[in-house]
């Protein structure tokens, strides 16, 4: 569900049940709540906050060993072609903080990205692919994207 009541708020939930026994991955409960608001500062400062609960369980809705993450994001359009974005996640289960900042510049068919990150060496955020682990540890990345 998503509601706009001055601020935007949302709730997402999913229950995944496997037909075979996969141990603690047989049932997975995922609940996400969040809110965002764009402040009338300069070109519009957007602030977003979310909390994610993820629980892989052998039995449905056991919540035996849930994992909790909170996240915050700030995004500011510097101009027509520039945007700065910062994301911070906190892993309540392992007490780790994940930090990411990005500057994007758009030029016709090209987009230029300058990214910096300061994360734990062992990446423990729930993810769909292994590519997110590229941002483990400390570092920066420069990327040039051609849009055809």
């Amino acid at each position: 569900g998503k509601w706009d009541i001055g601020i935007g708020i949302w709730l997402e939930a999913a229950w995944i049940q496997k037909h075979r026994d996969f141990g603690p991955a047989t049932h997975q409960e995922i609940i996400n709540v969040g809110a965002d608001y764009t402040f009338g500062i300069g070109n519009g400062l957007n602030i977003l906050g979310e909390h994610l609960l993820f629980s892989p369980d052998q039995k449905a809705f056991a919540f035996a060993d849930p994992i909790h993450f909170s996240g915050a994001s700030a995004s500011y359009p510097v101009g027509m072609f520039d945007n700065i974005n910062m994301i911070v996640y906190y892993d309540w289960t392992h007490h780790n903080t994940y930090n990411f900042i990005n500057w994007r510049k758009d030029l016709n068919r090209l987009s230029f990205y300058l990214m910096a990150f300061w994360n734990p060496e062992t990446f423990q955020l729930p993810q769909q692919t292994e590519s997110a682990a590229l941002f483990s540890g400390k570092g920066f990345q420069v990327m040039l994207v051609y849009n055809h």
Side-chain angles (χ1 to χ4, degrees):
K2 183 173 171 127
W3 302 269
D4 191 354
I5 55 172
I7 65 169
I9 59 173
W10 59 89
L11 169 69
E12 301 170 65
W15 169 42
I16 300 166
Q17 175 189 10
K18 308 286 173 106
H19 290 289
R20 294 189 324 197
D21 185 3
F22 285 95
T26 303
H27 296 271
Q28 299 173 24
E29 296 85 23
I30 305 167
I31 302 169
N32 183 53
V33 295
D36 77 327
Y37 186 76
T38 301
F39 293 90
I41 299 170
N43 296 326
L45 173 65
N46 179 261
I47 303 290
L48 178 145
E50 290 186 303
H51 184 79
L52 174 76
L53 171 118
F54 174 68
S55 187
D57 297 304
Q58 181 129 25
K59 296 184 187 244
F61 305 106
F63 294 97
D65 195 18
I67 299 168
H68 291 269
F69 285 95
S70 292
S73 172
S75 182
Y76 185 76
V78 178
M80 291 288 290
F81 306 106
D82 294 270
N83 190 43
I84 295 175
N85 181 268
M86 183 181 85
I87 303 169
V88 176
Y89 287 107
Y90 185 73
D91 176 353
W92 295 93
T93 306
H94 302 100
H95 307 287
N96 287 324
T97 302
Y98 297 80
N99 304 281
F100 179 82
I101 189 164
N102 175 45
W103 169 54
R104 185 188 79 228
K105 173 113 181 135
D106 294 319
L107 304 164
N108 292 329
R109 295 183 172 263
L110 294 174
S111 294
F112 173 77
Y113 296 85
L114 179 60
M115 299 168 269
F117 53 92
W118 186 322
N119 299 320
E121 292 295 328
T122 304
F123 209 84
Q124 295 177 311
L125 287 172
Q127 56 199 25
Q128 296 295 320
T129 66
E130 294 299 317
S131 63
L134 293 173
F135 296 106
S136 61
K138 299 173 192 150
F140 70 94
Q141 185 174 16
V142 177
M143 190 166 54
L144 184 64
V145 177
Y146 176 73
N147 299 301
H148 57 87

